Amino acid sequence: MWRRPRVVLWAVVASVGLAFLVALEIASRHYGTPGPITAQAREVIFPPKSGTVLYAAMTLMLVVLTWRQRFLAVGAAVAIDLVFWLVRWAAGAPTMFGNGALIVTLACAVIALTRRTGRERVLLLQGVGLALLLVTGRKTGYTWLEITARTRPLVLDQYIATADHALGNPSWVAGQIVRASGAVGAHVLEWVYIQLAVGAVVVALYQLRKVAVERRFPTHHLVRTFLVIGLLGPGIYMIYPVVGPVFAYGADGGQWALAELWPNTPPPLGTPRAMLFDGVTPRNCMPSLHTAWATAIFIHSRKGPRALRFLGAFWLVATLGATLGFGYHYGADILAGVVFTVTIEAALRAFDRRAVAGDRRGVLLACYGAAVFTALLLSYRFLSQELAALPWLTGPLLVLAVASVVYGYLRTVRLWEREVRPAAVPRPRRETQPELV
């Protein structure tokens, strides 16, 4: 079994992932903060940072269980959380839920190793691994953000803000719209922005709804794309550190901000340069991973029922409104985030079709998306003044470059779906009146 290519591949992936977590843990300890492994282990006992994410992760694990086992798991998680809540309330400690979901998920891993065998053990471990990957990915993201703030003192916001003139300064426009919408609009956008994992879990549950019956996971689903986006995105943060308009040009930046301009006055054109910023604010703008994840939700919701398609479209629009309207991102970040997701989707689907001999469309599309993504980042950095000088020309060209990647993806996927769709068998024609033959 250990000589099979698929087993070797997953063994290598698991080893690389573990080494990556250990390296992040060591790096975090070097900067005096707990790493992802320590932070996750603490949430077994101490109040978790987000109980919603822990329950969402447990929900993904439940797709491999029967309905009776699901009710038992959810009941056990709620009971454990109730005990923790009462103890914390009596001790005067901060109350938070989520420990029960994490403990039940870990307990299922123990059950899989001690009480299950064969295919059933592998399936349950896959469900537990899926849940823990979602939680660990979030912790890894937090660690990456801290590392970017500690290791990248210079930020490139002036370059992005200059290039954003070609797009009409959408963050400043969206910020004024959100401010005019009042508290209700701001609260809705804030909830969607913070609870991005909720929308992802809803779509993922629809895609994984048949796992308990078929006893296997589908070849491609949303969680895979989510994890790859979260793995690759922070690495680009290190290469292209940007803090966002609300910090570089707004009140949230404090003494480090160039001026308090956002969202009332777009920054004036000038010669951009890298500027020094504090060691606390994450450099997490380029590309916009919230846009990337929301785009992945939108893509994977297209094959669902009307309600799911509406949810995917709403989550994408609301996330774009929040990222721009709260000043967390520039318009240039949004374009890069869309190309980033579509490229990853194309690469993953091309990998799934690797058994199809001679089919290079997915590989070519992934290479083209990567080239467009690289060209966007280079143009923002080295051609920002030229982009801002001719906005009516360069703005549509930037949008057209992104649209070309999206169009290529849609066209390629439709060709793939047409190839796997079974040919229609003509129905036998019934005679109006039987005749002797």
Side-chain angles (χ1 to χ4, degrees):
M1 181 183 67
W2 291 103
R3 294 181 180 179
R4 296 177 184 175
R6 192 175 185 84
V7 176
V8 173
L9 175 63
W10 282 110
V12 172
V13 171
S15 301
V16 172
L18 181 60
F20 176 71
L21 288 176
V22 172
L24 274 184
E25 185 74 25
I26 296 173
S28 300
R29 295 297 183 89
H30 175 72
Y31 291 108
T33 59
I37 299 176
T38 303
Q40 192 58 64
R42 284 174 55 86
E43 292 189 350
V44 177
I45 302 296
F46 295 95
K49 192 168 186 178
S50 176
T52 305
V53 173
L54 293 177
Y55 269 94
M58 187 189 73
T59 304
L60 287 179
M61 182 201 66
L62 297 181
V63 299
V64 305
L65 304 179
T66 63
W67 279 107
R68 178 178 177 275
Q69 294 168 340
R70 292 171 185 172
F71 285 122
L72 291 175
V74 173
V78 173
I80 294 172
D81 269 331
L82 182 60
V83 173
F84 272 81
W85 188 88
L86 291 174
V87 172
R88 288 169 183 156
W89 176 75
T95 57
M96 186 51 149
F97 65 95
N99 301 91
L102 180 59
I103 292 174
V104 168
T105 302
L106 296 176
C108 287
V110 175
I111 292 173
L113 294 174
T114 58
R115 305 293 296 275
R116 302 287 180 90
T117 58
R119 180 59 188 165
E120 292 299 314
R121 172 185 289 178
V122 173
L123 187 65
L124 184 53
L125 286 177
Q126 285 179 332
V128 173
L130 197 65
L132 293 180
L133 279 175
L134 180 62
V135 178
T136 306
R138 190 178 179 89
K139 296 298 180 185
T140 302
Y142 289 141
T143 303
W144 264 116
L145 296 183
E146 293 181 359
I147 292 177
T148 60
R150 300 291 185 90
T151 61
R152 293 295 180 267
L154 298 178
V155 297
L156 306 177
D157 283 76
Q158 294 187 34
Y159 293 94
I160 306 301
T162 303
D164 232 32
H165 281 273
L167 302 172
N169 299 300
S171 180
W172 272 257
V173 176
Q176 296 176 17
I177 295 175
V178 171
R179 178 177 293 180
S181 66
V184 176
H187 285 318
V188 172
L189 294 180
E190 183 182 17
W191 185 86
V192 172
Y193 186 84
I194 294 175
Q195 302 299 340
L196 181 69
V198 175
V201 168
V202 172
V203 177
L205 287 178
Y206 175 80
Q207 293 180 322
L208 305 176
R209 66 193 184 280
K210 297 181 180 179
V211 172
V213 177
E214 298 178 352
R215 312 309 294 168
R216 64 180 180 86
F217 280 85
T219 305
H220 183 62
H221 51 84
L222 176 61
V223 181
R224 289 205 319 170
T225 307
F226 246 65
L227 293 174
V228 175
I229 290 173
L231 179 65
L232 299 179
I236 303 175
Y237 291 163
M238 302 290 289
I239 301 172
Y240 215 109
V242 181
V243 294
V246 73
F247 297 103
Y249 296 95
D252 290 4
Q255 62 179 352
W256 300 94
L258 285 176
E260 193 171 336
L261 302 175
W262 188 90
N264 300 316
T265 307
L269 290 176
T271 303
R273 63 187 64 184
M275 66 181 193
L276 190 66
F277 214 79
D278 63 28
V280 179
T281 305
R283 280 64 164 152
N284 62 337
C285 275
M286 181 61 71
S288 169
L289 291 196
H290 263 80
T291 300
W293 282 318
T295 303
I297 293 174
F298 177 80
I299 292 174
H300 284 263
S301 65
R302 294 305 90 194
K303 296 300 181 181
R306 180 179 299 179
L308 194 68
R309 296 197 302 270
F310 175 79
L311 173 69
F314 167 76
W315 222 272
L316 176 60
V317 173
T319 301
L320 292 178
T323 54
L324 293 172
F326 293 145
Y328 297 146
H329 290 280
Y330 303 90
D333 310 337
I334 305 300
L335 296 182
V338 172
V339 176
F340 188 63
T341 296
V342 175
T343 303
I344 290 175
E345 272 287 311
L348 290 176
R349 295 204 174 196
F351 177 78
D352 294 334
R353 290 177 55 84
R354 64 192 182 279
V356 180
D359 189 356
R360 300 180 180 178
R361 287 171 293 190
V363 176
L364 292 176
L365 177 60
C367 293
Y368 176 69
V372 171
F373 180 77
T374 304
L376 288 176
L377 265 61
L378 292 177
S379 65
Y380 298 156
R381 176 62 177 83
F382 298 105
L383 299 175
S384 59
Q385 290 180 287
E386 289 76 6
L387 293 176
L390 300 171
W392 295 106
L393 174 63
T394 57
L397 287 178
L398 292 174
V399 176
L400 184 62
V402 177
S404 67
V405 179
V406 175
Y407 172 76
Y409 174 80
L410 293 176
R411 186 172 180 272
T412 303
V413 170
R414 286 170 183 170
L415 290 174
W416 286 342
E417 292 175 348
R418 195 176 303 166
E419 291 175 359
V420 300
R421 189 178 302 158
V425 179
R427 298 179 62 182
R429 183 171 56 88
R430 298 183 62 182
E431 297 180 357
T432 58
Q433 182 178 352
E435 297 180 359
L436 294 176
V437 178

